Amino acid sequence: MDRTQLMQAQVLQRIAHALKTKSPLSLVRVGDGENLVLAQQTVWPIDAVLKEPWAVKANEGKKGLRLPNLPLRDAVAESIRKADIVGILPFGDRTIHAPDYLKRKLTDRVFRHFRIVPKAVCHACVNRMLATDPMFWKTLAGKRIAVVTHHADAAKRVIENRFRGIRVTLTYPFSDYSQMEQALKFLSDNRNLYDIALFSCGVNAVVLAQRTAEQTGKVALDFGKALHIITKGRPN
């Protein structure tokens, strides 16, 4: 599966090149939540998925989606297949708080099921690494940024206050899977207002980032909990 393994610096180089050449680029990431969404009625029965604490939280309205959701499963698989860079967890990962059986082993199983072979891979937590890398924000200086997350306006204020030369020119308050098509239309209709889009929308960000890059020709990153790191100083 790991055909082209990119280090953090190489991911940043690709982002910088895409911004410079105004080329589309999508970065998506696969962790325990994405694995569970992909596992629905494929490598796991639905009942087993629904028993997992992550799925319980999702069905309490805490993950921006509810399960079962087979249309999202298939959309996530398609977006991972099409994405330019896919973040996956290494074996023995300790960076995210989830049982081992929900991490890389399950990623490999669902990728085999869907016959997914990413174009290029990197560490799934590259978003957190980039968020704390001054070179990332230097690369974004002077660029127009779209932020798509639950508290998008608050995130805009924090980002602009914290990083010199950074302009958030578009925001979309995304909180739930039901907003998917509306959000994609908004980002497409307003494509002339931003150069790069950052998505912190849980599993939904996989689809949002890949499709935004595909539909608008922009750089689109599944930014995950990186916004929490920026605003709170920690991932959770």
Side-chain angles (χ1 to χ4, degrees):
M1 181 169 67
D2 304 2
R3 265 187 200 169
T4 305
Q5 178 77 44
L6 303 178
M7 303 302 291
Q8 178 187 340
Q10 294 171 302
V11 173
L12 184 53
Q13 285 172 359
R14 292 200 179 194
I15 292 170
H17 181 263
L19 286 169
K20 184 177 181 179
T21 58
K22 298 184 178 180
S23 305
L25 177 75
S26 56
L27 165 66
V28 306
R29 300 172 312 103
V30 180
D32 56 320
E34 290 77 14
N35 283 337
L36 281 170
V37 168
L38 291 167
Q40 299 175 90
Q41 284 189 3
T42 55
V43 300
W44 282 19
I46 284 290
D47 287 350
V49 172
L50 295 179
K51 287 175 183 176
E52 287 296 323
W54 190 96
V56 172
K57 288 181 180 179
N59 286 339
E60 292 173 346
K62 298 176 180 177
K63 297 292 184 181
L65 59 93
R66 293 178 186 273
L67 299 176
N69 188 328
L70 303 189
L72 178 59
R73 176 198 69 188
D74 295 341
V76 167
E78 180 183 12
S79 287
I80 294 170
R81 188 177 290 112
K82 290 182 175 181
D84 297 297
I85 306 172
V86 179
I88 59 174
L89 292 166
F91 286 108
D93 170 74
R94 291 293 176 265
T95 55
I96 70 168
H97 303 298
D100 281 344
Y101 67 87
L102 291 181
K103 296 202 271 188
R104 178 58 182 273
K105 290 180 182 178
L106 186 51
T107 299
D108 285 356
R109 286 187 68 192
V110 293
F111 277 26
R112 280 196 299 271
H113 175 87
F114 285 102
R115 298 181 181 178
I116 294 171
V117 180
K119 298 174 185 176
V121 298
C122 65
H123 196 295
C125 293
V126 70
N127 60 319
R128 305 183 189 189
M129 303 170 193
L130 291 174
T132 55
D133 184 349
M135 284 303 299
F136 173 71
W137 296 105
K138 186 176 181 180
T139 300
L140 268 54
K143 303 301 180 184
R144 302 167 302 165
I145 303 170
V147 171
V148 182
T149 190
H150 186 42
H151 300 293
D153 288 336
K156 165 185 166 72
R157 288 193 297 272
V158 170
I159 290 171
E160 290 184 338
N161 288 338
R162 182 161 178 181
F163 302 103
R164 179 177 296 181
I166 297 299
R167 290 185 303 138
V168 177
T169 55
L170 192 69
T171 59
Y172 187 90
F174 188 99
S175 58
D176 186 77
Y177 166 77
S178 63
Q179 297 173 271
M180 183 80 74
E181 295 305 322
Q182 181 184 356
L184 288 167
K185 183 178 186 303
F186 176 84
L187 289 160
S188 182
D189 290 347
N190 292 282
R191 68 182 70 189
N192 294 328
L193 298 181
Y194 64 97
D195 305 303
I196 180 171
L198 307 179
F199 297 89
S200 290
C201 312
V203 176
N204 299 299
V206 172
V207 180
L208 288 166
Q210 182 274 318
R211 289 192 183 174
T212 295
E214 181 178 65
Q215 294 173 11
T216 69
K218 305 295 183 178
V219 178
L221 310 181
D222 170 1
F223 215 49
K225 292 184 177 179
L227 283 179
H228 291 281
I229 294 175
I230 294 166
T231 58
K232 306 289 187 182
R234 59 186 187 278
N236 294 309

